[in-house]
């Protein structure tokens, strides 16, 4: 797409980052299934390796198909640059990598995707990093958790499970006052429902595996940089502000300005961690992202109808969906994600654990899987699957109590989704 008027979201989701293929005129973005790229001559090769010229060297670092997707996601989020990688969890490591170091910590919300809690509480310790989990509704507790070694604040815009919306403006205020970057996982909301950078986020991370691809075909992740953080101000981010020995003492922030984080993500992150997205995966995600707004509208519309129906069912104890008038997060929906509270929520059955197990075995249209954000309606009973290693108290704290089911409402006919839940409820 050439520089033109400032296009709307629906136009950008189809066009941003893409132009007819310069070699063939192909209108759809080709899958550049290649590992390496021929240098024009020795000088060209040297300039590329010195980061003096931008171009393609080797697909662990950059690939033209993947680059279109990175630019599209960055544009939809309102950022200056983006890096794609192999999964959402890879994106989280890639986002933290330039900021952290041995002894450093990230202050993270207690309300996070289960896999992220495991990654942050266990695996990152192997790098000497740690996470401090805090209730992000308690701003004083967030402030109190920040110490000299804190290098980032991390939360999700719409947190799963449990119908929770983070007050991004308030958390961004705390991060700004402490001179720290705010990283927001925007997977459950997508940039159609929420644009965290407009609420003060420094970096946005995604599992493109979910709604951005939307069809359940490939895993992927992305990191988008707002371009607004001053990486040199505090001396706390030497990877970005200080001379980089692997590039003859180049300083990323001084050299690349607002694109420092993006260039570092490619030139150091992808080069040395190798968590690269492959061009086939980028292709599937590009196919999906073209219809993101249309799918999200239907996801939200269906989620509201299903949640309202469940809330009045005699066998249902409660429904936690921020899109319901009964949710304590209504005011945040209006401010943070005014087009809707997403399509993930939990509901509890009065008859508890056994009824939930029976329920997941009784659904027909719903698929019982450990995934979310598919066009298909999905269900899982966290206490007997994803959260079964936790104690009951931990399950309750995570919004995954033994009586609780999590659904990801698809884009099928709402009447068919409700009919499937109705027949399954009749069997428990
Ligand atoms: C799925 C998910 C992740 C992890 O993404 P993968 O692509 O599975 O690695 C992280 N955050 C959220 C909110 C998710 O839903």
């Amino acid at each position: 797409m050439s520089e033109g008027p400032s296009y709307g979201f629906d136009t950008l989701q189809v066009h941003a980052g893409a132009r007819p293929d310069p070699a063939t005129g192909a209108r759809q973005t080709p899958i550049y299934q290649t590992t390496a790229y021929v240098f024009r001559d020795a000088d060209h090769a040297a300039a590329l390796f010195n980061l003096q010229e931008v171009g393609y060297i080797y697909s662990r670092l950059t690939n033209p198909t993947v680059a279109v997707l990175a630019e599209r996601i960055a544009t939809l989020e309102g950022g200056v640059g983006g890096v794609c990688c192999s999964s959402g969890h890879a994106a989280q490591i890639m986002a933290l990598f330039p900021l952290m170091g041995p002894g450093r910590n990230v202050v993270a919300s207690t309300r996070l995707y289960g896999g992220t809690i495991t990654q942050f509480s266990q695996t990152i310790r192997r790098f000497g990093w740690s996470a401090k989990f805090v209730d992000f509704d308690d701003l004083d507790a967030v402030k109190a958790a920040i110490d000299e070694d804190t290098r980032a604040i991390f939360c999700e815009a719409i947190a799963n499970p449990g119908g929770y919306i983070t007050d991004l403006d308030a958390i961004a205020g705390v991060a700004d006052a402490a001179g720290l970057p705010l990283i927001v996982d925007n997977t459950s909301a997508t940039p159609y429902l929420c644009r965290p950078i407009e609420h003060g986020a420094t970096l946005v991370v995604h599992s493109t595996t979910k709604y951005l691809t939307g069809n359940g075909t490939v895993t992927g992740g992305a990191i988008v940089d707002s371009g607004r953080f001053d990486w040199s101000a505090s001396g706390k981010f030497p990877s970005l502000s200080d001379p980089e020995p692997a590039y003859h003492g180049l300083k990323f922030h001084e050299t690349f300005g607002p694109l420092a984080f993006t260039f570092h993500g490619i030139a150091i992150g992808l080069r040395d961690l190798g968590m690269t997205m492959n061009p086939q995966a980028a292709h599937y995600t590009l196919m999906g992202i073209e219809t993101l707004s249309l799918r999200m509208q239907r996801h939200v519309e269906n989620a509201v109808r299903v949640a309202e129906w469940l809330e009045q069912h005699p066998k249902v104890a409660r429904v936690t969906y921020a899109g319901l008038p009964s949710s304590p997060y209504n005011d945040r929906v209006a401010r943070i994600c005014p087009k809707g509270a997403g399509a993930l929520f939990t509901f509890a059955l009065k008859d508890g654990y056994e009824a939930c197990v029976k329920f997941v075995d009784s659904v027909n249209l719903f698929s019982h899987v450990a995934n979310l954000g598919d066009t298909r309606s999905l269900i899982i009973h966290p206490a007997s699957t994803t959260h079964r290693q936790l104690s009951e108290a931990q399950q309750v704290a995570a919004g995954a109590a033994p009586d609780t089911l999590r659904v990801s409402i698809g884009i099928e006919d709402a009447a068919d989704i409700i009919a499937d839940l109705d027949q399954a409820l009749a069997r428990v």
Side-chain angles (χ1 to χ4, degrees):
M1 196 175 67
S2 58
E3 290 299 312
S6 57
Y7 290 114
F9 191 95
D10 290 0
T11 306
L12 293 171
Q13 73 186 357
V14 176
H15 291 284
R19 47 197 70 76
D21 179 48
T24 63
R27 176 61 273 200
Q28 191 48 276
T29 300
I31 304 167
Y32 286 92
Q33 198 67 62
T34 183
T35 307
Y37 307 84
V38 178
F39 305 122
R40 287 194 304 271
D41 53 35
D43 286 344
H44 177 224
L48 290 175
F49 276 95
N50 275 342
L51 297 183
Q52 285 156 338
E53 193 176 321
V54 177
Y56 296 101
I57 299 175
Y58 186 65
S59 282
R60 172 157 32 79
L61 288 88
T62 46
N63 171 281
T65 314
V66 179
V68 170
L69 178 63
E71 189 175 336
R72 186 157 314 166
I73 297 172
T75 305
L76 294 177
E77 286 288 2
V80 295
V83 180
C84 286
C85 50
S86 53
S87 71
H89 273 0
Q92 293 167 192
I93 295 295
M94 290 267 301
L96 290 173
F97 181 68
L99 314 179
M100 303 284 273
R104 307 303 187 202
N105 66 69
V106 51
V107 170
S109 171
T110 46
R111 297 179 182 88
L112 295 178
Y113 176 74
T116 306
I117 293 191
T118 308
Q119 187 187 55
F120 283 10
S121 58
Q122 311 289 335
T123 306
I124 64 170
R125 292 186 168 277
R126 308 270 183 102
F127 305 142
W129 311 349
S130 62
K132 295 186 185 183
F133 292 99
V134 192
D135 176 358
F136 270 37
D137 277 349
D138 184 347
L139 295 181
D140 289 333
V142 179
K143 284 179 207 158
I146 294 171
D147 63 26
E148 271 304 291
D149 287 319
T150 304
R151 290 295 179 271
I153 313 281
F154 189 99
C155 63
E156 292 178 17
I158 299 180
N160 114 69
Y164 174 79
I165 312 284
T166 304
D167 188 344
L168 296 179
D169 302 285
I171 296 295
V174 175
D176 276 352
L180 293 171
L182 170 62
I183 307 173
V184 177
D185 180 342
N186 201 30
T187 301
S188 305
T190 81
Y192 179 69
L193 297 179
C194 175
R195 305 217 314 160
I197 290 172
E198 291 173 359
H199 299 280
T202 310
L203 303 169
V204 177
V205 293
H206 274 284
S207 166
T208 62
T209 313
K210 314 293 171 49
Y211 293 108
L212 295 187
T213 303
N215 45 45
T217 46
V218 286
T219 65
I223 307 126
V224 174
D225 182 12
S226 65
R228 290 195 198 142
F229 196 85
D230 182 348
W231 302 110
S232 306
S234 66
K236 286 183 175 173
F237 305 101
S239 299
L240 294 157
S241 61
D242 290 4
E244 169 57 51
Y247 285 105
H248 310 300
L250 174 145
K251 297 178 183 173
F252 277 90
H253 190 209
E254 188 181 282
T255 309
F256 300 111
L259 282 168
F261 198 94
T262 302
F263 272 87
H264 191 277
I266 295 165
I268 305 284
L270 290 179
R271 187 196 65 180
D272 296 343
L273 299 175
M275 300 164 160
T276 308
M277 177 182 278
N278 68 72
Q280 279 286 343
H283 168 74
Y284 285 118
T285 304
L286 281 166
M287 293 296 94
I289 215 168
E290 294 188 345
T291 57
L292 179 65
S293 65
L294 307 177
R295 287 183 287 108
M296 292 316 291
Q297 285 161 18
R298 176 65 79 88
H299 278 296
V300 167
E301 205 178 289
N302 282 355
V304 170
R305 280 183 63 184
V306 173
E308 282 173 348
W309 180 84
L310 281 168
E311 200 172 39
Q312 52 71 48
H313 196 284
K315 289 187 182 173
V316 173
R318 62 182 178 278
V319 181
T320 47
Y321 177 50
L324 285 173
S326 59
S327 165
Y329 299 111
N330 283 169
D331 62 317
R332 291 190 192 171
V333 173
R335 192 157 43 84
I336 309 280
C337 48
K339 290 193 202 124
L344 294 173
F345 62 86
T346 57
F347 63 99
L349 296 184
K350 286 179 183 162
D351 291 331
Y353 186 97
E354 290 308 322
C356 289
V357 172
K358 185 87 201 293
F359 190 90
V360 293
D361 280 340
S362 303
V363 289
N364 297 319
L365 184 63
F366 274 80
S367 305
H368 180 199
V369 295
N371 190 21
L372 54 93
D374 197 317
T375 45
R376 280 153 278 268
S377 289
L378 314 175
I379 189 163
I380 198 156
H381 179 220
S384 62
T385 55
T386 52
H387 291 63
R388 72 176 295 137
Q389 309 302 336
L390 305 184
S391 69
E392 190 169 329
Q394 287 175 312
Q395 290 173 346
V396 171
D403 64 353
T404 301
L405 293 157
R406 186 193 80 196
V407 283
S408 170
I409 301 298
I411 62 171
E412 304 99 332
D413 286 277
D416 293 336
I417 299 171
I418 290 171
D420 192 36
L421 295 171
D422 195 31
Q423 64 80 24
L425 277 166
R427 293 217 249 156
V428 304

